[in-house]
Amino acid sequence: VMEAGALRLTCPAPELAGHLGLHTQVKLRLPMDQIGAAIDALQADGYTVQQNGIGLIVDVEPNQKASPIHVLSRAQITVTDFETE
């Protein structure tokens, strides 16, 4: 990455978004009775999580969109649907 004609950063392409502080959000839908356990599991894995009316919103790096689903799967929490923004 160049800035003002000077080299600012070099890294492999898959790591670029993380180095630049870019992120995306994954909206997860899951059964309401599993929301609390899902928040706990995701936060324990280091994710920032917000609850919305029908599920959770999780901040992720653009190349890690499936990671929260894997975390919940390992915790035996069912994801019924998801979206990315």
Side-chain angles (χ1 to χ4, degrees), residues 3-50:
E3 183 177 323
L7 182 63
R8 179 174 169 234
L9 169 70
T10 59
C11 67
E15 297 174 10
L16 181 60
H19 284 292
L20 296 178
L22 302 176
H23 71 277
T24 191
Q25 292 183 326
V26 177
K27 294 181 179 182
L28 303 171
R29 291 192 180 111
L30 49 143
M32 292 304 289
D33 63 339
Q34 295 184 329
I35 294 281
I39 291 172
D40 291 344
L42 291 164
Q43 288 177 337
D45 214 60
Y47 289 98
T48 301
V49 183
Q50 302 170 31

Side-chain angles (χ1 to χ4, degrees), residues 1 4-5 9-11 13 16-17 22 41 51 67 70 74 77-78 81 84:
V1 175
L9 169 70
T10 59
C11 67
L16 181 60
L22 302 176
Q51 185 173 352
S67 293
H70 295 301
R74 285 192 301 272
I77 297 170
T78 304
D81 199 3
T84 60

